[in-house]
Amino acid sequence: MTQELQNKIIIVGGGFGGIRTALDLEKKNLPASKIILISDKPHFEYHPALYRIVTGKSPLEVCIPLQDIFEGKKVEVVEDSIIEANLEQRELKGISGSRYSFNFLVLALGSETTYFNIPGLKEYSFGFKSINEALRLRRHLHELFETCKISDKDLEEDVCRLHFIIVGGGASGVELAGELAIYTRKLAKKHQLNPSLITIDLIEAASRLLPTLPEEVSEKARKRLQSLGVNIFLNRRVTEGEVKKVYLKDMQMKTETVIWTAGVKPHHLFYKIQGLEQDKQERVIVDKLLQAKNFQNIFIIGDAAATPYAGLAQTAIYDGNFVAEVIRRKILGISVEKCQYYPLKPSYAIPIGPGWAAVLSGNYRFFGRFGWWLRRLADLRFFLSILPFRKALLAFQSGKTLCEICSICSVDEGKN
């Protein structure tokens, strides 16, 4: 086996963790090493800003080409979707038919939506985990406003069309509800519709919004959403979904728009890989080096790893940085005995409508416009960490138009 093959590093996943691992490894300039990043998309999706796409901002604010991130870097980017992984043989198979051998493997595949086997929900609801899903939802919103005609005889139908239900009171649901409350009023005005017909309901199964955060933050978020006209239903679980109805445990709601933000699970590939052990949340059990249990040089990072705070972008970035250092030590023959993964307690910055955000960082809490600017600075800081300065500013400043979907709204494109 050649030295080059001994140092062949494959990273699967072009999200926060995968990109951070690749960039950090490339900076280390490891001898006789080849870094390959395999992603099923040619771009990186900045998930914390997906809600901005739904409410009319440019996809450029969320979509960053991988070639821009790795331009001039010694990282080979391969567009393929891995469908099989033989960890014993150290080989991957892509949907393209290509096979990839490796000596170090980093699985940074993230998570995907789960519907908890609720009948009809997957077929009739809108997901919120990708740019394509966000664009599909945005297109749907514009179609509703274009076709909705106010008159006495179809008033009930118009109310149904303009009733939006968001299921899931975590960060994604809260962020989307706040933006949607403002955005739908703008659409109503542009389409000369009565904004009083718009109803936005946020449904959460727990006893409060943002149930993993302190109660003070939950209460501030609740008051902010209610001030924007969002109806909040707590301790409610969706039991069934149809085209125009959502059934809760003790009531039903008429709607043509159900947005599901309530559940995620590890990427489906993890369920196919032989030899991985999973915890009760179906996350992969890892050791102190983030190696899959019983495997050497095979790392699980981000959403699918059974670690505290998994599921957050900050955790995936932290994991990528840690694993890059472990790989460096292994390649250079430096002991990894002193390397141990210590979970990093994350900060939270949750925007709820334009100009307002709840921020929690250690013992510090900020609300309102100052919190909003802290969130925007966090966005800029991330863009600067993966892009050259000029491109980072372009990504940060994108999305100045209201929308790009319908003819009525596009009249004022560039003025908002």
Side-chain angles (χ1 to χ4, degrees):
M1 182 178 290
T2 67
Q3 186 180 12
E4 181 178 356
L5 287 177
Q6 290 174 356
N7 295 338
K8 188 174 183 182
I9 308 163
I10 290 185
I11 302 162
V12 183
F16 288 97
I19 288 174
R20 186 73 270 153
T21 307
L23 288 174
D24 283 6
L25 282 170
E26 198 273 342
K27 288 179 183 177
K28 298 178 187 299
N29 198 27
L30 297 171
S33 298
K34 185 175 185 179
I35 304 168
I36 301 172
L37 185 140
I38 302 175
S39 175
D40 60 355
K41 296 181 287 290
H43 58 269
F44 162 72
E45 298 188 354
Y46 188 56
H47 287 165
L50 274 180
Y51 69 91
R52 297 178 197 163
I53 290 183
V54 176
T55 55
K57 303 301 189 295
S58 168
L60 293 175
E61 194 167 341
V62 177
C63 175
I64 303 174
L66 292 176
Q67 65 181 13
D68 285 357
I69 297 173
F70 294 107
E71 184 178 4
K73 309 288 186 183
K74 295 179 181 178
V75 176
E76 180 182 347
V77 178
V78 176
E79 186 178 349
D80 200 355
S81 180
I82 300 301
I83 57 174
E84 293 180 17
N86 189 321
L87 302 188
E88 295 288 349
Q89 297 296 321
R90 297 198 170 192
E91 184 180 71
L92 308 174
K93 181 182 178 181
I95 197 170
S96 66
S98 298
R99 294 184 179 273
Y100 309 92
S101 61
F102 62 85
N103 301 98
F104 294 90
L105 174 65
V106 181
L107 293 175
L109 290 160
S111 57
E112 57 192 27
T113 304
T114 180
Y115 296 91
F116 303 117
N117 297 315
I118 299 173
L121 199 57
K122 181 177 181 180
E123 293 79 10
Y124 302 129
S125 68
F126 290 86
F128 197 61
K129 283 284 291 177
S130 69
I131 288 177
N132 284 337
E133 288 182 328
L135 288 172
R136 174 174 169 255
L137 174 57
R138 187 171 78 177
R139 189 174 299 110
H140 170 74
L141 293 179
H142 283 262
E143 289 173 352
L144 288 182
F145 277 90
E146 284 189 306
T147 58
C148 187
K149 305 297 181 183
I150 303 300
S151 66
D152 291 338
K153 65 178 181 180
D154 59 4
L155 181 59
E156 182 178 350
E157 185 67 21
D158 289 331
V159 171
C160 174
R161 287 195 187 111
L162 300 182
H163 185 185
F164 307 102
I165 297 178
I166 302 169
V167 184
S172 294
V174 167
E175 290 172 2
L176 180 60
E179 285 288 321
L180 208 57
I182 303 296
Y183 185 61
T184 51
R185 290 195 209 115
K186 290 182 179 179
L187 288 180
K189 182 178 180 180
K190 284 183 173 291
H191 289 265
Q192 298 182 342
L193 300 175
N194 186 349
S196 67
L197 294 175
I198 298 171
T199 301
I200 299 175
D201 294 334
L202 179 59
I203 300 171
E204 168 56 41
S207 60
R208 59 187 176 91
L209 299 176
L210 305 171
T212 62
L213 299 185
E215 289 191 20
E216 179 191 2
V217 180
S218 298
E219 183 63 13
K220 291 280 189 179
R222 182 188 67 79
K223 289 181 178 179
R224 168 63 175 171
L225 285 172
Q226 288 182 332
S227 74
L228 295 176
V230 177
N231 303 314
I232 298 171
F233 297 85
L234 302 174
N235 296 305
R236 303 293 179 97
R237 293 183 181 275
V238 174
T239 59
E240 186 177 349
E242 292 185 355
V243 177
K244 293 191 178 183
K245 291 181 183 178
V246 169
Y247 296 90
L248 304 180
K249 186 176 180 180
D250 55 355
M251 62 187 295
Q252 71 178 39
M253 298 176 167
K254 288 187 175 182
T255 181
E256 290 188 3
T257 310
V258 179
I259 307 164
W260 180 255
T261 69
V264 294
K265 62 181 179 180
H267 190 278
H268 62 270
L269 179 64
F270 289 106
Y271 301 94
K272 299 179 181 179
I273 300 176
Q274 294 292 322
L276 296 180
E277 292 190 27
Q278 298 173 316
D279 67 3
K280 293 180 180 179
Q281 284 76 44
E282 300 181 320
R283 300 177 303 178
V284 180
I285 297 174
V286 295
D287 64 14
K288 68 176 185 177
L289 299 178
L290 293 185
Q291 294 175 136
K293 186 178 179 181
N294 301 322
F295 289 96
Q296 294 292 313
N297 299 341
I298 296 172
F299 303 87
I300 313 295
I301 69 173
D303 296 4
T307 61
Y309 314 122
L312 298 172
Q314 295 164 71
T315 302
I317 293 169
Y318 179 74
D319 291 359
N321 179 269
F322 174 81
V323 164
E325 175 59 19
V326 173
I327 293 174
R328 182 190 76 88
R329 287 172 170 263
K330 289 196 171 198
I331 288 177
L332 297 180
I334 303 173
S335 173
V336 296
E337 286 301 314
K338 293 184 179 180
C339 285
Q340 184 165 345
Y341 181 78
Y342 294 100
L344 176 68
K345 187 175 182 179
S347 299
Y348 299 88
I350 304 170
I352 308 177
W356 198 101
V359 174
L360 173 63
S361 182
N363 294 324
Y364 297 98
R365 298 170 189 179
F366 306 97
F367 304 96
R369 183 162 293 277
F370 184 64
W372 166 263
W373 283 114
L374 289 177
R375 165 57 191 263
R376 293 299 284 150
L377 286 174
D379 292 340
L380 178 59
R381 181 183 177 186
F382 173 74
F383 292 141
L384 288 170
S385 75
I386 64 170
L387 290 168
F389 183 79
R390 185 181 65 83
K391 289 185 177 180
L393 286 181
L394 286 175
F396 178 71
Q397 294 174 347
S398 294
K400 296 182 179 178
T401 62
L402 174 64
C403 62
E404 302 170 349
I405 295 296
C406 67
S407 57
I408 294 178
C409 293
S410 62
V411 169
D412 292 330
E413 187 172 330
K415 298 180 182 180
N416 298 282

